Amino acid sequence: MSAEVTLLGVRHHGPGSARSVAAALEQLRPDAVLVEGPPEADPVLGLAAEKDMVPPVALLAHAADDPARAAFWPYAEFSPEWVAIRYAGEVGVPLRFIDLPAGYAFADTGDEEGDEGGDQDEDDAGLPRDPIARLAEAAGHDDPERWWEDVVEHRRPGDDEDALAPFAAVAEAMTALREDGGGAGRRDERREAYMRQQIRAARRAGHRRIAVVCGAFHVPALAAMPTVAHDRALLAELPKKVRTEVTWVPWTHRRLSQLTGYGAGIVSPGWYHHLYRTDGDPLPGWLTRAADLLRSEDHPVSSAHVIEAVRLARTLAVLRGRPLAGLTETLDAVRAVMCDGSDVALALVQDRLVIGDALGEVPDAAPAVPLQRDLTRIQRTLRLKPEPTPRDLDLDLRKETDAARSRLLHRLRLLGVDWGVPARSSVASTGTFRESWRLCWQPEFAVRIAEAAQWGTTVERAAVGKAVGTARSAVELAELTGLVETCLVAGLAEALPAVMRVLADCAALDTDVAHLAGALPALVRALRYGDVRGTDDGALGDVAAGLADRICVGMPPACTGLDAAGAAAMRGHLDEVHGAIGLLDQDRADGPATGLADRWAAALRALARREPSGGPATGVPGLLRGRAVRLLLDDGRLDSAEAGRRLGLVLSAANSPADAAGWIEGFLTGGGALLLHDPRLLGLLDGWLTGVPAEVFTDVLPLLRRTFATLEAGVRHTVGSRVAAGPLGPGSAEPVGDVAELDRARADAALPVVALLLGLPTGAGEPGEHPRIPRQAGGRDT
């Protein structure tokens, strides 16, 4: 058997193993190459020989009827299996994958990841999971990665060296390891039985020189070759195989470095790629690249630094007894010489060079679901290239191309493909015509696209199907309103009627004011998109107006009997509904929302008038009453004198200090400039605070500190200065200092310009009649 079948045991994704496999194949000249991998991929292996296939790439296998059950087998340029695949394609010899089919794993566990190193599961005796670690320990080394790097990865086969000698040594070590108690688990035993069956099939096919590239751990089991009956008995335990589909997808070095998910657990794929591509000493070239990177980030690094770093790395290798400088010595030299001991600069080198962001490419001929092909077409049309490095994208929705990009990103998010996520714009703009995104393509999006293919064959059709399906299964009103907003921004007009029907039914049946309040802001935001996206918002406006009316009626009773957590949540709803109703009343002055702002103001007045009676179980928390007063004051529906009167009542001795502190928090949240403009309010607050009994003061202090911590730093400083200047009694209700009388003629002359800047009607009213300038909920006085 040894003369016909040559077992090349490797460590997956190792540059030294890859070079050794290349040399061994050149020496063997096999007439068949067998590689550890899923046999379902045999039909697409020929694509690996095409020049458009650029590693890192991965084989994606998924259950045909459930794409969520998927597995990846990633390959880099320095992967030994990739070298064998390329060799077979270039010389034209048969190539087969011989590992256990992925369909069995999908049927057994529902999920499987590609084998990343041929390591067995930990057995009952608690043996180490990684056989390399056990070999390093036997050799007297405490770092298995450094030991393997010295023994294998830094090796370069000589011209007169037997290329098969390293594999014989690895096979001998693995045999001793497995005989010493490091046997395979049940899953690996079945895998090895299947691989032996495939080797037998290759021999029956008439191949005389067979090269088998597999994980080094499996070599002893494949060399032993028990009886056919033994292997058949093991394979008889397998469940029924699931029908599986396989294709190639791009991969990244960053994903190769991850130990979980669909990674491979390589800590330094960028470094390994450099080792594989470099002939001779890899140190000068890699340190030159590190210097280029640091210089591009404004670090002062010269050629002298590179020379000194090379010397230091080599010296460290000698001191540590290593044959060549490895990654540890190289990074130590970079930190000491190029980064001046800074770990911050070193982290940049580790991220960009040790790991890297290389993204592979696959040819167009690779199998793909129609949804993936439509997405690729749209990406090319819109000039949005998938990239593994995060980048910001600012869109102007008034431009056709940017609007199409926005629709695509929103549709993909609806399908669960978060290629782009909303981000804070780098451009100072508050208009609804601008969007900002953070784009970053992840390899596992291929699985999510395959999952989303059940909804449609194009991105638009799939998004429509997903929106309708989500609406029919939704149970929360807020979920539906958010879905309506998504449909509008994604341009899914075809899905809106079905979603709106479900929304109307759900809104009619939902009596929880908190649910209604949580749903209204999303609807109002969606209404505003019609200005720049050309969407029909008629039905949406009717639903929003109906929700707002029900909130106005139900809000005061809904605020009764709330605990501290419930009151805090309801205060957030108050602020959101206040802003939403202001926009709704302004945008739809001639529609069903006419007079809505007045009805909402009446609800706030009713809420502000309610006082605790009979304990918190029957009263309205002070936090909500104070917030209602502040919103009325900000809207100009309550003057400062009335606000001061209400504050005085709350701060009276008849009211509990805890309730008063909550009222103050609600009243001051969002801006405390009114304390500066109305010293009477500040005097009332100061007088109450100094009169709080000592035994109660410690209870209300955290609440007061939290309230004042939200105020602007300038406001806090000025309030402190005024309090420190002297008593703030009743006589301090008048403005401090000499204040000139308002010159209304000069104020009237400036009003047209202010109104123009704020987008308000100009020229209306008589002199001295100021136009009402609306303010956002909780905003500061202008």
Side-chain angles (χ1 to χ4, degrees):
M1 180 185 297
S2 59
E4 298 178 350
V5 178
T6 303
L7 302 174
L8 305 179
V10 300
R11 191 185 192 191
H12 303 300
H13 313 296
S17 294
R19 284 191 296 267
S20 297
V21 166
L25 292 176
E26 286 294 332
Q27 177 176 318
L28 287 172
R29 296 289 178 178
D31 58 0
V33 177
L34 308 182
V35 179
E36 180 183 332
E40 294 97 334
D42 285 350
V44 299
L45 287 179
L47 296 173
E50 296 190 11
K51 59 182 180 181
D52 292 337
M53 182 77 80
V54 180
V57 293
L59 282 168
L60 164 62
H62 63 83
D65 59 348
D66 185 8
R69 293 190 294 172
F72 288 90
W73 283 260
Y75 301 105
E77 187 176 3
F78 50 82
S79 300
E81 298 91 341
W82 182 255
V83 171
I85 292 171
R86 285 281 199 176
Y87 172 85
E90 291 172 358
V91 302
V93 299
L95 171 67
R96 295 289 183 272
F97 272 178
I98 61 171
D99 203 352
L100 192 68
Y104 288 121
F106 296 149
D108 187 22
T109 64
D111 184 55
E112 171 70 9
E113 293 180 16
D115 177 44
E116 303 298 347
D119 303 334
Q120 79 279 25
D121 295 332
E122 185 174 331
D123 61 11
D124 296 337
L127 295 172
R129 177 181 177 84
D130 186 3
I132 304 301
R134 298 192 63 201
L135 291 176
E137 182 181 356
H141 292 261
D142 57 355
D143 188 338
E145 291 296 330
R146 188 170 64 180
W147 173 79
W148 184 265
E149 197 174 60
D150 290 344
V151 174
V152 177
E153 304 306 345
H154 286 165
R155 287 190 70 263
R156 297 181 182 275
D159 295 336
D160 54 352
E161 179 182 347
D162 181 9
L164 300 180
F167 296 104
V170 170
E172 182 180 357
M174 288 298 172
T175 301
L177 180 68
R178 294 186 66 150
E179 290 175 351
D180 191 39
R186 197 62 172 174
R187 174 176 174 269
D188 278 333
E189 287 180 353
R190 291 195 292 264
R191 293 175 58 205
E192 291 164 352
Y194 190 89
M195 285 190 267
R196 289 192 292 265
Q197 293 281 54
Q198 298 307 303
I199 294 173
R200 295 186 184 104
R203 297 179 62 188
R204 289 196 301 269
H207 299 296
R208 307 312 304 165
R209 297 186 309 279
I210 303 172
V212 179
V213 180
C214 62
F217 180 78
H218 302 300
V219 168
L222 301 186
M225 277 291 177
T227 64
V228 175
H230 174 272
D231 289 342
R232 287 177 177 173
L234 284 173
L235 297 177
E237 303 172 359
L238 292 171
K240 183 179 179 181
K241 185 167 62 172
V242 173
R243 188 167 65 88
T244 305
E245 296 178 355
V246 180
T247 187
W248 290 100
V249 295
W251 206 249
T252 66
H253 277 174
R254 191 167 300 279
R255 283 297 176 189
L256 283 171
S257 69
Q258 295 184 354
L259 291 169
T260 59
Y262 296 127
I266 311 169
V267 296
S268 52
W271 168 256
Y272 275 6
H273 183 265
H274 179 77
L275 289 181
Y276 182 73
R277 294 293 298 272
T278 304
D279 294 328
D281 189 356
L283 202 56
W286 198 86
L287 288 172
T288 300
R289 292 174 58 201
D292 290 340
L293 172 62
L294 292 172
R295 277 196 295 266
S296 68
E297 298 293 332
D298 297 329
H299 291 275
V301 180
S302 67
S303 57
H305 288 85
V306 177
I307 296 172
E308 186 58 32
V310 171
R311 290 175 177 170
L312 179 58
R314 290 171 176 169
T315 302
L316 289 173
V318 172
L319 291 175
R320 295 169 180 174
R322 305 193 64 180
L324 291 173
L327 181 59
T328 303
E329 289 72 29
T330 305
L331 291 180
D332 287 345
V334 170
R335 178 193 289 110
V337 178
M338 298 184 181
C339 302
D340 296 326
S342 170
D343 287 333
V344 176
L346 182 66
L348 179 67
V349 176
Q350 290 175 318
D351 184 69
R352 302 278 187 86
L353 293 184
V354 177
I355 297 176
D357 286 307
L359 175 65
E361 299 178 6
V362 299
D364 295 336
V369 295
L371 178 60
Q372 176 66 69
R373 295 195 180 279
D374 184 63
L375 175 59
T376 302
R377 177 188 61 80
I378 297 174
Q379 288 171 334
R380 291 173 179 172
T381 301
L382 299 180
R383 299 187 297 279
L384 278 178
K385 182 180 180 181
E387 297 176 346
T389 54
R391 68 183 182 97
D392 293 328
L393 178 67
D394 288 320
L395 300 178
D396 186 342
L397 301 181
R398 297 168 297 184
K399 299 178 180 178
E400 184 178 350
T401 299
D402 281 1
R405 289 173 173 175
S406 173
R407 289 193 295 270
L408 173 64
L409 295 174
H410 281 295
R411 290 170 181 176
L412 290 177
R413 280 177 60 81
L414 180 59
L415 295 173
V417 182
D418 293 330
W419 176 22
V421 294
R424 182 180 296 274
S425 175
S426 59
V427 181
S429 173
T430 58
T432 57
F433 63 85
R434 184 173 296 279
E435 279 185 351
S436 294
W437 296 82
R438 170 62 63 89
L439 303 184
C440 183
W441 185 263
Q442 304 293 344
E444 61 265 27
F445 289 161
V447 174
R448 299 179 188 175
I449 293 171
E451 288 184 72
Q454 62 179 304
W455 300 107
T457 56
T458 66
V459 174
E460 181 177 3
R461 292 299 309 163
V464 169
K466 179 66 178 297
V468 174
T470 302
R472 290 172 177 169
S473 61
V475 294
E476 295 289 342
L477 186 60
E479 182 181 358
L480 284 170
T481 55
L483 182 60
V484 170
E485 183 180 10
T486 300
C487 288
L488 286 173
V489 297
L492 303 177
E494 188 176 346
L496 270 177
V499 177
M500 289 300 300
R501 284 194 298 271
V502 179
L503 172 62
D505 294 342
C506 186
L509 297 175
D510 200 329
T511 58
D512 191 323
V513 173
H515 290 172
L516 301 178
L520 181 63
L523 285 180
V524 176
R525 286 195 304 268
L527 280 169
R528 307 214 81 194
Y529 293 128
D531 296 336
V532 293
R533 300 176 189 267
T535 53
D536 181 13
D537 57 7
L540 190 60
D542 295 340
V543 175
L547 284 181
D549 280 332
R550 295 173 60 190
I551 292 171
C552 292
V553 174
M555 183 59 76
C559 294
T560 302
L562 297 177
D563 59 9
M570 190 60 75
R571 188 199 69 182
H573 290 318
L574 277 178
D575 288 342
E576 292 177 352
V577 170
H578 185 74
I581 288 180
L583 294 175
L584 186 62
D585 189 65
Q586 178 182 354
D587 291 345
R588 303 179 65 83
D590 57 346
T594 302
L596 183 58
D598 295 332
R599 295 194 291 276
W600 173 244
L604 290 177
R605 289 192 184 95
L607 183 61
R609 285 195 299 267
R610 298 201 175 197
E611 300 290 341
S613 58
T618 58
V620 175
L623 175 68
L624 300 180
R625 303 195 321 274
R627 193 64 192 151
V629 172
R630 176 58 185 271
L631 295 177
L632 290 170
L633 179 64
D634 284 347
D635 256 9
R637 297 178 181 271
L638 197 71
D639 57 30
S640 59
E642 176 64 15
R645 185 186 73 83
R646 292 176 181 270
L647 177 61
L649 292 174
V650 169
L651 300 183
S652 65
N655 208 15
S656 69
D659 183 75
W663 199 99
I664 293 170
E665 180 183 9
F667 186 70
L668 294 182
T669 298
L674 53 85
L675 292 177
L676 307 181
H677 299 321
D678 193 341
R680 179 172 176 271
L681 296 179
L682 182 59
L684 288 171
L685 182 59
D686 181 61
W688 169 79
L689 188 58
T690 56
V692 173
E695 62 273 13
V696 181
F697 182 77
T698 54
D699 294 333
V700 300
L701 180 60
L703 182 60
L704 292 174
R705 291 193 64 179
R706 184 178 67 195
T707 301
F708 280 88
T710 62
L711 303 183
E712 303 86 338
V715 172
R716 294 200 304 270
H717 177 75
T718 306
V719 167
S721 300
R722 291 190 178 180
V723 172
L728 295 172
S732 63
E734 297 299 324
V736 178
D738 297 331
V739 179
E741 184 179 354
L742 176 64
D743 188 340
R744 293 190 174 276
R746 295 179 62 189
D748 289 338
L751 280 179
V753 177
V754 175
L756 179 63
L757 292 174
L758 296 178
L760 299 174
T762 59
E766 299 296 331
E769 181 182 348
H770 296 181
R772 177 166 168 257
I773 301 176
R775 284 166 288 188
Q776 294 292 333
R780 298 189 298 272
D781 293 337
T782 304

